[in-house]
């Protein structure tokens, strides 16, 4: 089965199951390669508007444990299953230097750059913030999150663009043209940075019922020569590899014949 590079663990406080359970699930599915990408904590005292009590990421002093745990599992399973050490880092312009410094301290094989926060520290994805969506404006969330994804790519700090059109889960924008232009700009920056794009099948488990990003953006990414990886955004062991047949079909429909292997740096033909 195709490698899954977007896997969380219970260390982030809002996922179920320890790292080993995710590994066991991947092995059960016959996966040869997988990668953990749990949430990097917010750094240096920076906080979003929502209450952070224990439900966003591991505390920073547990990062060492996360890295050690993943590396130990990687050693234990070597031969059967190649386990890559990754992390999902929020792009927060205010703390980008701190983020860079922390990322450098660890042997991460890849960093998924994700946008979960826009504007004035608004974590648009957080359940507590639901009431704020209408007031903030859906188009604004679409546009700002894509513009932040572009800026994230321009930092050169990230290897994979996570769930690029995440804002689409709240519904389509009014000004489709402006949002399409923002998405194109983000994709061009991803291409220029030599990053990969993820098909994130987490969207299949949400109301939107499709992976991120939309098929039209996959086709555009293909045109720009951007490599693809798959990620389930698993927050429970049963999510590992979820919807990957569907995602492979979308990749093929967009013109892709292969996926990027993070472990080897090469390409794996699409099954
Ligand atoms: Zn999460
Ligand atoms: Fe995310
Ligand atoms: Zn994410
Ligand atoms: Fe995630």
């Amino acid at each position: 089965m195709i490698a899954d590079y977007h896997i969380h663990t219970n260390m982030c406080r809002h996922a179920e199951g320890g790292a080993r359970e995710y590994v066991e699930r991947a092995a059960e599915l016959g996966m040869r390669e997988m990668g953990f990408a749990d949430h990097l904590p917010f750094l240096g005292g920076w906080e979003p508007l929502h209450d952070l009590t224990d439900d966003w990421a591991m505390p920073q002093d547990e990062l060492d444990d996360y890295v050690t745990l993943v590396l130990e599992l990687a050693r234990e399973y070597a031969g059967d299953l190649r386990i890559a050490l990754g992390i999902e880092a929020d792009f927060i312009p205010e703390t980008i230097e701190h983020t860079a410094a922390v990322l450098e301290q660890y042997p991460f094989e890849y960093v998924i750059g994700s946008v979960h926060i826009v504007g004035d520290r608004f974590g648009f994805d957080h359940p507590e913030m639901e009431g704020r969506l209408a007031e903030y404006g859906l188009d604004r969330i679409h546009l700002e999150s894509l513009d932040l994804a572009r800026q994230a790519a321009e930092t050169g700090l990230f290897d994979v663009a996570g769930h690029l059109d995440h804002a689409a889960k709240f519904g389509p924008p009014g000004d489709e043209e402006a949002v399409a232009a923002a998405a194109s700009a983000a994709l061009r920056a991803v291409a220029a940075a030599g990053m990969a794009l993820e098909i994130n099948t987490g969207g299949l488990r949400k109301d939107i019922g499709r992976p991120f990003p939309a098929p039209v953006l996959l086709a555009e990414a293909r045109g720009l020569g951007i490599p693809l990886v798959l990620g389930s955004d698993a927050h429970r062991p049963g999510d590992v590899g979820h919807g990957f047949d569907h995602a492979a079909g979308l990749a093929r429909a967009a013109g892709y014949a292969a996926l990027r292997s993070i472990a080897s740096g090469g390409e794996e033909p699409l099954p």
Side-chain angles (χ1 to χ4, degrees), residues 78-155:
D80 300 320
L81 177 58
R82 170 68 164 81
I83 300 173
L85 172 65
I87 194 95
E88 178 178 23
D90 280 275
F91 174 59
I92 313 278
E94 294 90 328
T95 60
I96 192 64
E97 277 168 32
H98 200 150
T99 303
V102 170
L103 292 176
E104 222 170 77
Q105 286 168 32
Y106 296 95
F108 294 122
E109 292 172 80
Y110 67 102
V111 180
I112 299 181
S114 293
V115 176
H116 305 101
I117 313 275
V118 294
D120 52 353
R121 301 181 296 125
F122 175 26
F124 62 87
D125 201 21
H126 198 277
E128 214 178 88
M129 291 284 108
E130 239 164 73
R132 214 169 169 254
L133 283 168
E135 172 205 335
Y136 198 85
L138 185 53
D139 277 27
R140 200 171 150 206
I141 296 170
H142 275 275
L143 290 168
E144 289 185 9
S145 62
L146 289 165
D147 192 56
L148 286 165
R150 175 189 60 77
Q151 291 177 46
E154 287 172 353
T155 66

Side-chain angles (χ1 to χ4, degrees), residues 49-71:
L49 286 178
H50 60 258
D51 185 9
L52 271 184
T53 40
D54 273 6
D55 66 348
W56 186 272
M58 63 191 97
Q60 203 185 328
D61 61 6
E62 287 182 22
L63 248 186
D64 284 1
D65 298 338
Y66 166 71
V67 169
T68 303
L69 175 62
V70 172
L71 293 178

Side-chain angles (χ1 to χ4, degrees), residues 6-8 37 39 88 112 114 116 163 198 200 233-235:
H6 195 142
I7 295 175
H8 292 273
H39 298 279
E88 178 178 23
I112 299 181
S114 293
H116 305 101
H163 46 67
E198 111 181 321
N200 185 308
D233 219 334
H235 281 75

